[in-house]
Amino acid sequence: MNGQPLTSELARLVHSSLPEQQEEAMRAARFGLIDYLASGFYARDDAGVAKLWRIVEAEGGSADVPVVGQGRKASFLKSALLNGFIGHALDFDDVHSDVRGHPSTVILPALLAAAAAHRPSAERLLAAYAVGVETMARLGRTIGAAHYEKGWHNTYTLGVIAAAVAAGYLAGMSAERLEKAIGFAATQSSGMRIQFGTEAKPLHAGLAAQAALLSIRLAEEDFGGTRTGLDGDIGFFGLYGDRAAAEERLLAGWGSDWSIVRPGLWFKIYPFCSAAHHAADAALRLHQSGAFLREEVERVCILFPPKGDAALIERNPSTGEQGRFSVEYVVALALSGYPLTLEHFTNRPIGPQLLAFLPKIERQYDGGIEPAAQAVPKGRFTIVEVVTKNGDTYRERVDCPRGAPGNALTLDDLQAKLQASVPDDPARARQLVRTIMNMQSADDLQMLLTLI
Amino acid sequence: MNGQPLTSELARLVHSSLPEQQEEAMRAARFGLIDYLASGFYARDDAGVAKLWRIVEAEGGSADVPVVGQGRKASFLKSALLNGFIGHALDFDDVHSDVRGHPSTVILPALLAAAAAHRPSAERLLAAYAVGVETMARLGRTIGAAHYEKGWHNTYTLGVIAAAVAAGYLAGMSAERLEKAIGFAATQSSGMRIQFGTEAKPLHAGLAAQAALLSIRLAEEDFGGTRTGLDGDIGFFGLYGDRAAAEERLLAGWGSDWSIVRPGLWFKIYPFCSAAHHAADAALRLHQSGAFLREEVERVCILFPPKGDAALIERNPSTGEQGRFSVEYVVALALSGYPLTLEHFTNRPIGPQLLAFLPKIERQYDGGIEPAAQAVPKGRFTIVEVVTKNGDTYRERVDCPRGAPGNALTLDDLQAKLQASVPDDPARARQLVRTIMNMQSADDLQMLLTLI
C-alpha cells in the first residue's frame, strides 16, 4: 500500500465531507429516512420487538431516545438495538447493491441516538446518513463478493463500521478519534448468514447499530485502541475479505459523488429479501398475463446467474417468515394469485396448497447469459419459466426490479408505503413526510424525534 | 459429517455434563476463580475501568451484579462488560494452551452475572466453569492454529460461545435452547488481534462475556435463531476456520476428562502475554547466573519455533503497556535486573536505558529444533542467547515456564498472588481463599458475591 494507512485516510475524508452541498444527496437521505420509518412502523407489533423489550427492561436504564412506533424511549445504546431490529424485522427496508445488505437500518438507529444526545441540525443528520451510506458502499466494494458468499452478513459486518463513522461524523468527532472508533467497530464486526430466515437476522442490524454507538462512546472517552484497524494482514480487510485494490475502492474519488444517489438506495415494494424481487416481478407478470391457471402448471424453472441466489437460503420453507428467503415461496405465491403483502410473510405455517406447489419449482444457473447494462445488482437477472401440462412455455426476464435504482420509487410511492405502515393514523404519515422533506434546523430534527 | 449436527450434539453433551463428579475438576475451578479475582483486583484502579464506568453510568440501569474490586454493582449485561475487562486489563489472568487465549476472564464474568440472577449452588457455578473451559478448549482444538494466526483474538471469538454455554448450563437451560444460544453467540463472535497492546484487547473479554449473556437472554425469551450455528460451510467453523475433523475434536470423549484439569489452566506469575513467559524465565536465569553485566551484552537472540511469537506483536514498544506484547522489552527488563512486576507494564513511557537496550535484541526462528515432550504450549520453546562484547555466549532454553501446566502454581502461590492484589486488606484475601476452597451451597456462593 502506498501513502497513508487506509484507516487514517478514511477518517480524514469522512471528517472533511460536505454532502449537504449536493441537493440530490440530501433529497435521497430524506427518502431513505421515510422508507426506514415505514419499514419500522410496519413491524411495531412484531413478536421479536416484545422479546427484545423484555431484555432491555430487565437491564433498566435511562429513557433518552425514541424507539420507532413504540411511543416510548430507551437508553442511548439500547435504543439502537431496538431501532435496528425494528427497521429490519420484516426485511422491508432498503438495500444497496454496493453494500449487498441493508444500510439504513444500521446507520439511522445509530444516528437517531446520536441526534438525541448531540442535538445537531437536521441537515447534519442527513449529511451524516449520506456519509454512512458512502462508507458502507465503499466497504462493500472493497471487501469484495467473496465476503458475502463465504457466509458473512454484510449488514452487520460492514454496517457496524459505517454506522460508527456516521455517528462520529454527526458528533463532529476529530479524524484521530474517528480512526479509533473505526477500529472499535471493526473489532466488533460479525454476523453469519446462517441466521437468515430467523429473528436473529434483523437482530444483526440492532447489534451492529449498538456496537457502532459503543465504538463512538469509547472513542469519546479516549479509550485505547488501534488507529489502523482496517490496515494490513491482520486488519479488517485482511481478516474478513479482500484487500487488493483497497486504496482505490475505499478512497478514490470520495465526495465527488455520493453512493446514496448513485447507484442509490433500493426501496422495497415487497416485504422479502431483495434477491427474490426480480423473480417476483417476473412471476407477477406471468400471472397477470392470464395465459395459464395455477392448476395447469407442470413445472417452474427460476434461472439465475451463478451464485445470484446466495441470499435465498430457504428452498423448503415451512413458515412465511422463512419464505422471506425462499424464491420458490415467492414465485408460488405470485403464480397462485396471492398479493405479495406482509400477511404472507409472518411466522404462521404455509398453507397446504402452496406447500404442494413448491416441489414443482426448481432453480437453475446459467453463466452464459449476458447480463443487461441496467441490471441491479450488477450482473444479476432472473428468468422465470413456466411449463404447463400441455407443454406450453412462458418466460419472463427481469434485470432491474421495481424499486431498484433505475426503476425507482417516487415520493408518492414512499408516502403510500408510510401510510400503509400506519393505517390507523394517516395524518401522522402526512406530517412525517412533510417534516422530513422540509427539515433543516436542530429544532426541526427534535420535532421529528417526537413523531417517530 | 456423519450423525447429528455439531451444534445439537454439543448442546446435548453440555446439558448432560457432570463435572462435579470429578474432584480434581472442582479443585481446578476453585484455583481458577482465585486467580481470576487476583487478576481483577490488581486492575481495580486501572484507567480503562473508569472510562468504562462512565459509559455504563450514562446508560443507567439496575445494580444487580458485583463488579470485581469496585465495591459496587452493575446490571446483568453490563457487569459482564466490566468484569471481563477488569479480569484481563493487565493480561495477568490465566491462559489455556488449547484455547490459545484467556478462558476465565470471559467465562467467569458471565457466570457471576448468571449466579446473581439464578442463585445456583456454588458447586453448580464451579461445574459450569469447568463446562465452559471444556467448550472453549475444544473450540480451540477444532478451529485450528490458522484461526489465531490469521488475526482472530480467540479470547473473544471462542470465548463468547464458551461463556454462553457455561451460563446456559448454570441456568439449567434445555439442550434445544442451548443450541440457539450457541448460534446467538457464534453470530456475535469477533475480535481482531490488531487490537493487541491497547485497552481494546481486554475490552474484548468484556464484550465477549456481555454478548454471551445476551445470547442466553435471547434463548430464554425464545427469540428465533439457527439451531445449527456451528455446522456446515456457512456456520461458525466453516466461516472462521477449519472444520475438518470437527466432530472428533469438538465432541469425542466429552466428559471422560476435563480440560480445566488436563492440560489445565496456566496461571501467570508475570503480568504480560504468556507467549513471552518462556523467554522471561530464561532471561531471569541468565541474569541470576551473574555471568555477565548488562553493560557487557553485545547482542541477544531470542529463538522461537516458526510462528511461536505470533502474539508478541510489539517489537518497538514505547510504553510498558505495549511492552506486555514485546518479548524484547521483557528480556531487556530481566537482563537489566528489574523485577518483572506490574509497575513496569503500565502506560508510562519506557525509560531511555531500556529503550537503548532494545535494538540489541533480535528474534530468530528455527523449525529444525525438536520441541520437548513437556512443552507448553505443545511444540513451543524459547531459547535466549546472550553474546557478550568479549565474545562469550550464554544460552538458556525453556519449554514449560513457571505457572504453566507441568510447572504449576500451588494454592500457596495463588494465595500469595491474591494477597499481593489487595495489599491493604490481607484478611480479605484469606477470607476469599477460604470461601472459594470450601464453598458448596447457594448461600456459600451468595456470600462469595459479597466479597468480590
Side-chain angles (χ1 to χ4, degrees):
Chain A
M1 215 143 41
N2 301 314
Q4 291 294 306
L6 292 174
T7 318
S8 70
E9 193 59 15
L10 175 64
R12 194 186 63 76
L13 290 168
V14 164
H15 184 70
S16 59
S17 291
L18 293 168
E20 60 270 38
Q21 294 183 344
Q22 198 194 92
E23 185 47 45
E24 259 184 304
M26 293 298 95
R27 185 173 167 85
R30 294 178 201 273
F31 275 36
L33 187 49
I34 294 170
D35 188 77
Y36 163 75
L37 291 175
S39 305
F41 286 136
Y42 267 116
R44 67 184 177 284
D45 299 323
D46 184 88
V49 178
K51 295 175 199 169
L52 272 190
W53 269 120
R54 284 197 287 276
I55 295 173
V56 165
E57 284 161 0
E59 283 284 297
S62 49
D64 298 326
V65 187
V67 182
V68 174
Q70 304 295 300
R72 53 196 288 214
K73 294 181 174 185
S75 71
F76 182 75
L77 295 175
K78 293 198 201 84
S79 73
L81 181 69
L82 288 157
N83 281 327
F85 178 81
I86 289 170
H88 196 36
L90 302 175
D91 229 304
F92 209 174
D93 53 312
D94 63 279
V95 294
H96 191 287
S97 56
D98 289 352
V99 168
R100 202 162 178 173
H102 299 258
S104 302
T105 193
V106 185
I107 295 167
L108 285 173
L111 290 179
L112 293 175
H118 292 278
R119 307 180 77 85
S121 72
E123 272 216 325
R124 184 78 183 173
L125 175 108
L126 296 169
Y129 179 22
V131 165
V133 172
E134 186 67 24
T135 303
M136 199 161 170
R138 285 168 175 268
L139 289 170
R141 269 139 53 188
T142 307
I143 207 150
H147 176 74
Y148 183 92
E149 284 157 12
K150 191 169 182 203
W152 296 110
H153 183 196
N154 294 19
T155 299
Y156 191 164
T157 57
L158 311 181
V160 61
I161 301 173
V165 162
Y169 175 84
L170 179 140
M173 188 168 270
S174 71
E176 288 71 21
R177 285 196 166 169
L178 274 173
E179 290 170 5
K180 290 210 299 187
I182 289 167
F184 294 132
T187 207
Q188 295 179 77
S189 169
S190 61
M192 304 195 298
R193 280 204 292 112
I194 198 170
Q195 294 285 10
F196 279 18
T198 77
E199 287 177 327
K201 191 207 177 202
L203 182 69
H204 286 172
L207 290 167
Q210 182 176 246
L213 288 178
L214 178 61
S215 303
I216 292 302
R217 289 290 294 122
L218 290 164
E220 286 174 350
E221 292 292 347
D222 220 13
F223 207 80
T226 180
R227 292 174 60 176
T228 58
L230 304 180
D231 293 275
D233 285 339
I234 65 168
F236 179 72
F237 291 116
L239 194 48
Y240 287 78
D242 185 8
R243 67 192 183 92
E247 205 166 355
E248 171 67 21
R249 291 180 188 149
L250 188 69
L251 305 172
W254 181 283
S256 64
D257 207 350
W258 295 95
S259 300
I260 200 170
V261 178
R262 268 172 296 274
L265 299 171
W266 172 348
F267 302 121
K268 289 186 175 184
I269 52 167
Y270 310 123
F272 48 75
C273 179
S274 67
H277 281 217
H278 307 68
D281 278 1
L284 284 175
R285 269 192 236 155
L286 287 166
H287 173 72
Q288 286 156 1
S289 73
F292 55 87
L293 297 171
R294 178 175 71 170
E295 294 68 31
E296 295 168 347
V297 173
E298 174 74 22
R299 58 189 167 82
V300 181
C301 168
I302 309 175
L303 191 70
F304 295 93
K307 297 185 181 168
D309 66 336
L312 301 165
I313 57 167
E314 296 284 353
R315 287 160 186 266
N316 296 295
S318 52
T319 67
E321 189 176 30
Q322 292 169 347
R324 292 178 201 157
F325 300 92
S326 170
V327 73
E328 292 82 3
Y329 177 64
V330 164
V331 167
L333 278 175
L335 293 180
S336 303
Y338 291 107
L340 299 180
T341 47
L342 261 180
E343 65 266 31
H344 296 294
F345 295 91
T346 69
N347 60 5
R348 285 198 296 273
I350 295 171
Q353 281 196 317
L354 282 165
L355 279 182
F357 197 3
L358 295 179
K360 297 185 180 186
I361 305 174
E362 63 164 7
R363 303 187 196 190
Q364 288 186 8
Y365 308 91
D366 190 334
I369 295 176
E370 187 71 22
Q374 80 279 19
V376 178
K378 196 159 174 273
R380 188 75 60 85
F381 61 81
T382 307
I383 296 168
V384 178
E385 184 178 272
V386 171
V387 180
T388 62
K389 285 172 179 159
N390 63 17
D392 293 336
T393 299
Y394 302 90
R395 287 166 67 103
E396 283 285 348
R397 167 173 172 158
V398 172
D399 299 286
C400 179
R402 205 166 154 235
N407 195 0
L409 300 192
T410 64
L411 181 57
D412 283 348
D413 290 331
L414 285 171
Q415 180 152 351
K417 183 172 173 180
L418 187 66
Q419 272 168 339
S421 75
V422 282
D424 48 338
D425 196 352
R428 186 183 189 188
R430 282 193 303 273
Q431 191 185 357
L432 269 167
V433 170
R434 203 164 50 236
T435 301
I436 291 171
M437 291 310 293
N438 294 298
M439 66 185 190
Q440 302 282 345
S441 69
D443 284 350
D444 293 346
L445 179 53
Q446 295 305 312
M447 159 64 78
L448 174 69
L449 293 181
T450 67
L451 291 172
I452 66 176
Chain B
M1 217 143 38
N2 302 314
Q4 289 295 304
L6 292 175
T7 318
S8 69
E9 193 59 15
L10 176 63
R12 193 186 65 77
L13 289 169
V14 165
H15 184 70
S16 60
S17 290
L18 292 168
E20 61 268 39
Q21 294 183 346
Q22 197 193 93
E23 186 47 45
E24 259 185 303
M26 294 297 96
R27 183 172 167 85
R30 294 177 200 274
F31 274 35
L33 186 50
I34 294 170
D35 187 75
Y36 162 75
L37 291 176
S39 305
F41 286 136
Y42 267 118
R44 68 184 178 284
D45 299 322
D46 184 86
V49 177
K51 295 175 199 169
L52 272 190
W53 268 118
R54 285 196 288 275
I55 295 173
V56 165
E57 284 162 0
E59 284 284 298
S62 50
D64 298 325
V65 188
V67 181
V68 174
Q70 305 293 301
R72 52 197 288 215
K73 294 182 175 186
S75 70
F76 183 74
L77 295 175
K78 292 197 201 85
S79 73
L81 180 69
L82 287 157
N83 281 328
F85 178 81
I86 289 170
H88 197 34
L90 302 175
D91 229 303
F92 210 174
D93 52 311
D94 63 279
V95 293
H96 192 288
S97 56
D98 289 352
V99 168
R100 203 161 176 172
H102 300 258
S104 301
T105 193
V106 185
I107 296 166
L108 284 173
L111 289 178
L112 292 175
H118 292 277
R119 308 181 75 86
S121 72
E123 273 216 324
R124 184 78 183 173
L125 175 109
L126 297 169
Y129 179 23
V131 166
V133 171
E134 186 67 24
T135 303
M136 198 161 171
R138 285 167 175 267
L139 289 170
R141 267 136 58 185
T142 307
I143 206 148
H147 176 75
Y148 182 91
E149 284 158 10
K150 192 169 180 201
W152 297 110
H153 183 196
N154 295 19
T155 299
Y156 192 164
T157 57
L158 311 181
V160 61
I161 301 173
V165 161
Y169 175 84
L170 178 139
M173 187 169 271
S174 71
E176 288 71 20
R177 286 197 165 167
L178 274 173
E179 290 170 6
K180 291 210 298 184
I182 289 167
F184 294 132
T187 207
Q188 296 179 78
S189 169
S190 61
M192 303 195 298
R193 279 205 291 113
I194 198 171
Q195 294 285 11
F196 278 19
T198 77
E199 287 177 328
K201 191 206 179 203
L203 182 69
H204 286 173
L207 290 168
Q210 181 177 243
L213 288 179
L214 178 61
S215 302
I216 292 303
R217 289 290 293 122
L218 289 164
E220 285 173 350
E221 293 293 346
D222 220 13
F223 207 81
T226 180
R227 291 174 60 177
T228 59
L230 304 179
D231 293 275
D233 285 338
I234 64 167
F236 179 73
F237 291 116
L239 194 49
Y240 287 79
D242 185 8
R243 66 192 184 91
E247 205 167 355
E248 171 67 20
R249 291 181 188 148
L250 188 69
L251 305 172
W254 181 284
S256 64
D257 207 350
W258 295 96
S259 299
I260 199 170
V261 179
R262 268 172 296 275
L265 300 170
W266 172 347
F267 302 121
K268 288 186 175 183
I269 52 165
Y270 311 123
F272 48 78
C273 178
S274 67
H277 282 217
H278 307 68
D281 278 1
L284 284 175
R285 267 192 237 155
L286 287 167
H287 173 72
Q288 286 157 2
S289 74
F292 54 88
L293 297 172
R294 178 175 71 171
E295 294 68 30
E296 295 167 346
V297 174
E298 174 75 23
R299 58 191 165 80
V300 181
C301 168
I302 309 175
L303 191 71
F304 295 95
K307 297 184 181 170
D309 65 335
L312 301 166
I313 58 167
E314 297 284 353
R315 286 162 186 265
N316 295 295
S318 53
T319 67
E321 189 176 30
Q322 292 168 349
R324 292 179 201 157
F325 300 92
S326 171
V327 73
E328 291 82 1
Y329 178 64
V330 165
V331 167
L333 278 175
L335 293 181
S336 301
Y338 292 106
L340 300 180
T341 47
L342 260 181
E343 66 267 30
H344 296 293
F345 296 91
T346 69
N347 58 6
R348 285 197 297 272
I350 296 171
Q353 283 197 317
L354 283 165
L355 280 181
F357 197 5
L358 295 179
K360 297 185 180 186
I361 306 173
E362 62 166 6
R363 304 187 195 188
Q364 288 186 7
Y365 309 92
D366 190 334
I369 297 175
E370 188 72 23
Q374 81 280 17
V376 178
K378 197 159 174 273
R380 187 75 58 86
F381 60 81
T382 306
I383 297 168
V384 178
E385 184 179 274
V386 171
V387 180
T388 61
K389 285 172 180 160
N390 63 16
D392 293 337
T393 299
Y394 302 91
R395 287 167 67 104
E396 282 288 347
R397 168 175 172 156
V398 172
D399 299 285
C400 179
R402 202 163 159 238
N407 195 358
L409 301 191
T410 64
L411 181 57
D412 284 347
D413 291 329
L414 285 170
Q415 180 152 349
K417 184 173 173 180
L418 186 67
Q419 272 168 339
S421 74
V422 282
D424 49 339
D425 196 354
R428 186 183 188 188
R430 282 194 302 273
Q431 193 185 357
L432 269 167
V433 169
R434 201 164 52 238
T435 302
I436 291 171
M437 292 309 295
N438 295 298
M439 64 185 190
Q440 302 282 347
S441 68
D443 284 349
D444 292 346
L445 179 52
Q446 295 305 313
M447 159 64 79
L448 174 68
L449 293 181
T450 68
L451 292 172
I452 67 176

